[in-house]
Amino acid sequence: MPNSPTPTHCPYCALQCGMNLTPAPDGTVEVGERADFPVNRGALCGKGRTAPAVLSSTVRLTSPLVRSGGTLVPATWDEALDRIAGGLARTRSEHGPDACGVFGGGGLTNEKAYTLGKFARVVLGTSQIDYNGRFCMSSAAAGGMKAFGLDRGLPFPLEDIPKSGCVILVGSNLAETMPPALRFFTELKENGGTLIVIDPRRTRTAEQADLHLMPRPGTDLALALGLLHLVVAEGRVDEEYVRERTVGWEDARAAAMAHWPEYVERITGVPVPRLRETVRMFCEPESAMVLTARGPEQQSKGTDTVSAWINLCLATGRAGRPYSGYGCLTGQGNGQGGREHGQKADQLPGYRKLDDPAARAHVAEVWGVDPDSLPGPGRSAYELLDALGTDIKSLLLMGSNPVVSAPRAAHVEERIKSLDFLAVCDVVLSETAALADVVLPVTQWAEETGTTTNLEGRVLLRRKAISPPDGIRSDLEVLHELADRLGVEKGFPTDPEEVFEELRRASAGGPADYSGITYRRLAEEDGVFWPCPTEDTAAHPGTPRLFLDRFAHPDGRARFVPVTHRPVAEEPDAEYPVLLTTGRVVAQYQSGAQTRRVDELNAAAPGPFVELHPRLAERLGAADGDPVAVVSRRGRAVAPARITLGIRPDTVFMPFHWYGEGRANTLTNPALDPTSRMPEFKACAVRVEAVGRQDAG
């Protein structure tokens, strides 16, 4: 009998596109369409289509590795697990629990993220846990919490986008980062709606726009304030909505009025007529949305920037109304769920705050521990990485590659090398895993069952389609074995559904309430939107659309947050006269640890490049394809020039997927947002130098 297809989801971005997987007779796995899944309706990008390539034993880890004489060599599971437990126990004994660090990933399932947070706090007793999602969505999360009292990337399904009258897309190149989502914006235009894209580059996404604004990197906050100034000046404020559904308008209004259009033009480089046109296009339809991504969020003022865009939505009566509102396009596959259930330094499952006594009591009861035994909030991601080798002596890392993905990456690499002990769980030997004392090979998306939460807040069930190769274990099995070796024999099940049942209890009554979601419901309903507090589908089908009746603050009202423009942390000067911004390309994903092992994707995007304007190239004497060096106060990167009119003359762009001399994050600035603790990936001062081909190797 032929194998029947298994319905599941892509391992990459936060769309979590539906797909069918069918084992082939030759041992490979075939990807098929799932046309009935509403997020992608069968469409897949190249990364999704080729995802099974990483399942091959020719590219993945197949045995535990331990360091011997400076080299990683194969070992048994017992030897590897004993070494990890011994290393963590020794650190805890000699330096205290907070000398043990834990670093997770936005690609881990909800079950893994939940268990990793529990392991850190119950087994190790450490406060030092965070995850790479801090680099992706944390500013939007902080802005959403301030304004609405709740953070869910999109408060409405993607299917609402084509029904809106206007969408402002800020700092997103979704045509390359999540291509199947582009159809919703195409349908928006087909329905008579308009698309405004804000990006310093003319990307594939910007080419689809009715209006494209190209602000100087790091000035999105001023731009949003200038638009709100015009909304007020032109009498476009929805006074009734502001009065009945919000608080704090007067202070926010006063802050915005200090940003008159000509002043904003000088800061951003966006002409005043285009500012006025944006306001007209946004305000005239009955409904409109603002969607942000990493562009405005990965800034040292990212939270304030998100607040400014939310203020624009609130002042015009757009939030909490049909086909309107503010949303964040979450990046990583489980970036939403990963921050809801305990990987983040200040949070407990259910999006509860770690410093809230009631939250601590609730979760401690589920875990069977004393609330006083739970550590308090720890360091954020970059601060944790920066403390490696000093305050933090040992690190357990799951599903992340900070040697490539962290800002000031060369410094982070040195901090990792200075650790007394590093253990990494991954599917491939990433650049970070290559530095470890112990590396554990773990199961992948197609080889395990578990849940993820996509950018809409839709909880999904990934199903196991194939068995892993011999010698591969799941992350849940790893944490179970380590907990047992460290003296905690119970509370760390290896069955994902059993873990999810505990997660349901731990999240019950919290902001991200999953208590009414079961594996059965996820299979039958093809996903359930949280919050969902009861299993009875008729009583509570989930919450696809938030805030239609009230916001999540106790009084039901949204909060305006008064904010004021401030410059990027590192402005250009005579020595470093150009701004660098970073991002992704369509054929690679995040640090590239997996996609760089797929031949088809490497053929499409074989390596890094520096995108620069012809005027800058002419000053350098560089032709297209010539190697150029980009130099910041933190280091130097070299890559071929890609000359284009689609970028500002004062800006260069580099994708961040590669290690080596073209590593973009060697250059980036770890200046942190004071609220979200997100680094300023999107703007730092650099100079660009021509490099002789003989010097570029």
Side-chain angles (χ1 to χ4, degrees):
M1 294 290 291
N3 289 308
S4 58
T6 299
T8 189
H9 297 274
C10 178
Y12 291 116
C13 83
L15 287 180
Q16 289 295 280
C17 291
M19 59 170 60
N20 287 318
L21 295 183
T22 305
D26 62 359
T28 60
V29 179
E30 296 178 353
V31 175
E33 291 187 358
R34 275 182 68 189
D36 60 333
F37 187 63
V39 171
N40 62 310
R41 306 176 200 164
L44 292 169
C45 73
K47 295 185 290 292
R49 285 189 297 98
T50 61
V54 188
L55 298 169
S56 170
S57 59
T58 62
V59 300
R60 72 183 301 170
L61 292 166
T62 57
S63 169
L65 303 173
V66 299
R67 193 163 294 280
S68 176
T71 303
L72 287 171
V73 298
T76 66
W77 271 94
D78 281 340
E79 180 185 358
L81 289 165
D82 286 346
R83 280 217 196 180
I84 296 174
L88 295 173
R90 186 167 53 252
T91 295
R92 189 172 57 178
S93 173
E94 294 177 359
H95 303 286
D98 273 358
C100 295
V102 177
F103 200 86
L108 300 181
T109 63
N110 289 317
E111 292 80 0
K112 294 177 186 180
Y114 171 84
T115 304
L116 188 62
K118 181 181 180 182
F119 178 86
R121 295 178 175 107
V122 172
V123 178
L124 297 178
T126 182
S127 65
Q128 300 304 303
I129 175 172
D130 211 77
Y131 82 128
N132 62 17
R134 177 79 66 173
F135 297 158
C136 290
M137 291 76 59
S138 54
S139 291
M145 290 296 291
K146 286 184 177 185
F148 308 130
L150 187 69
D151 158 45
R152 197 181 82 185
L154 291 179
F156 40 72
L158 285 164
E159 65 189 34
D160 283 6
I161 290 172
K163 302 171 186 175
S164 186
C166 176
V167 175
I168 299 179
L169 191 59
V170 190
S172 170
N173 183 15
L174 56 81
E176 297 201 52
T177 59
M178 44 182 66
L182 188 62
R183 68 171 56 195
F184 294 103
F185 297 87
T186 302
E187 291 171 11
L188 165 77
K189 297 178 66 176
E190 290 172 350
N191 292 341
T194 54
L195 174 63
I196 302 170
V197 171
I198 298 173
D199 197 304
R201 303 167 60 223
R202 187 159 182 81
T203 63
R204 295 185 189 180
T205 307
E207 289 171 355
Q208 310 301 313
D210 298 284
L211 180 63
H212 175 207
L213 309 183
M214 297 179 70
R216 185 171 177 265
T219 63
D220 306 271
L221 174 53
L223 180 61
L225 287 164
L227 296 176
L228 183 52
H229 177 111
L230 287 170
V231 165
V232 175
E234 296 177 5
R236 297 181 184 270
V237 176
D238 188 332
E239 301 285 359
E240 181 181 0
Y241 174 95
V242 168
R243 184 170 57 253
E244 294 182 357
R245 298 204 61 186
T246 73
V247 296
W249 167 233
E250 290 305 318
D251 288 343
R253 179 185 182 279
M257 295 313 288
H259 298 76
W260 59 96
E262 291 76 13
Y263 172 57
V264 169
E265 179 180 310
R266 289 201 300 273
I267 294 171
T268 65
V270 178
V272 172
R274 289 194 160 231
L275 298 176
R276 295 189 184 279
E277 180 68 1
T278 301
V279 169
R280 184 193 67 76
M281 292 170 66
F282 184 70
C283 292
E284 286 187 353
E286 184 177 343
S287 57
M289 299 175 176
V290 172
L291 305 178
T292 67
R294 306 302 78 77
E297 298 163 17
Q298 286 181 328
Q299 298 183 26
S300 59
K301 53 183 181 295
T303 302
D304 283 358
T305 302
V306 167
S307 293
W309 288 106
I310 292 175
N311 288 348
L312 179 67
C313 291
L314 293 176
T316 53
R318 303 306 197 181
R321 283 181 168 171
Y323 314 127
S324 291
Y326 166 79
C328 159
L329 297 174
T330 301
Q332 294 190 79
N334 197 32
Q336 182 71 49
R339 70 180 181 266
E340 293 168 1
H341 297 301
Q343 280 192 103
K344 214 169 175 184
D346 58 349
Q347 287 176 196
L348 288 169
Y351 223 135
R352 288 182 158 91
K353 299 296 289 183
L354 191 52
D355 55 6
D356 177 358
R360 294 170 66 88
H362 174 86
V363 174
E365 183 178 6
V366 174
W367 287 351
V369 300
D370 183 342
D372 292 338
S373 72
L374 298 177
R379 292 176 173 89
S380 70
Y382 179 78
E383 291 165 304
L384 189 157
L385 295 171
D386 191 40
L388 299 181
T390 53
D391 294 340
I392 299 173
K393 305 294 185 180
S394 293
L395 182 68
L396 174 63
L397 186 146
M398 281 189 167
S400 186
N401 189 18
V403 163
V404 176
S405 63
R408 198 185 174 197
H411 171 74
V412 168
E413 184 172 0
E414 289 305 311
R415 299 313 324 142
I416 289 173
K417 289 178 179 177
S418 73
L419 283 164
D420 292 347
F421 183 79
L422 171 65
V424 174
C425 300
D426 211 329
V427 300
V428 297
L429 190 66
S430 71
E431 288 77 12
T432 305
L435 303 177
D437 297 284
V438 181
V439 184
L440 298 181
V442 291
T443 50
Q444 298 187 52
W445 57 288
E447 302 163 346
E448 59 189 12
T449 294
T451 62
T452 61
T453 307
N454 81 344
L455 76 172
E456 308 164 297
R458 188 193 307 251
V459 185
L460 302 165
L461 183 64
R462 281 190 194 164
R463 297 168 176 87
K464 179 178 178 177
I466 59 172
S467 295
D470 292 339
I472 306 295
R473 299 187 185 181
S474 73
D475 294 288
L476 294 180
E477 290 175 300
V478 169
L479 293 172
H480 170 86
E481 292 290 340
L482 291 177
D484 184 58
R485 283 166 167 79
L486 291 166
V488 181
E489 299 177 2
K490 296 181 179 179
F492 289 86
T494 60
D495 177 65
E497 188 168 7
E498 187 177 347
V499 175
F500 191 78
E501 288 299 303
E502 183 178 303
L503 182 157
R504 292 176 59 208
R505 298 195 302 275
S507 73
D513 190 336
Y514 283 33
S515 59
I517 303 174
T518 64
Y519 272 31
R520 177 191 58 80
R521 282 193 67 175
L522 293 177
E524 292 177 355
E525 301 172 36
D526 220 355
V528 178
F529 291 86
W530 71 261
C532 184
T534 176
E535 275 189 63
D536 185 341
T537 304
H540 205 296
T543 314
R545 296 169 181 86
L546 296 169
F547 313 137
L548 294 179
D549 299 318
R550 66 191 315 275
F551 295 98
H553 289 295
D555 62 3
R557 292 171 174 260
R559 270 61 172 155
F560 280 97
V561 178
V563 292
T564 302
H565 169 72
R566 59 184 186 274
V568 297
E570 191 177 72
E571 286 278 21
D573 56 21
E575 188 176 2
Y576 301 98
V578 177
L579 280 169
L580 168 71
T581 193
T582 65
R584 287 170 46 194
V585 297
V586 66
Q588 301 288 353
Y589 181 72
Q590 303 301 79
S591 75
Q594 295 179 52
T595 52
R596 283 187 276 118
R597 287 166 168 81
V598 179
D599 290 342
E600 180 180 329
L601 300 179
N602 281 333
F609 57 87
V610 180
E611 190 175 277
L612 65 163
H613 192 275
R615 270 189 264 164
L616 178 55
E618 184 179 3
R619 288 203 300 271
L620 297 172
D624 201 68
D626 285 353
V628 294
V630 183
V631 184
S632 78
R633 290 177 173 86
R634 288 154 296 282
R636 181 176 189 264
V638 178
R642 185 172 292 183
I643 301 171
T644 173
L645 288 167
I647 193 167
R648 291 175 55 97
D650 58 3
T651 301
V652 294
F653 167 83
M654 290 187 72
F656 59 78
H657 308 290
W658 288 273
Y659 184 62
E661 69 172 5
R663 179 174 59 184
N665 278 320
T666 297
L667 308 167
T668 48
N669 190 355
L672 301 181
D673 180 286
T675 302
S676 69
R677 315 308 289 169
M678 177 181 275
E680 191 155 58
F681 287 98
K682 283 297 185 265
C684 71
V686 299
R687 67 173 179 268
V688 187
E689 302 170 343
V691 177
R693 289 189 179 275
Q694 67 276 11
D695 302 323

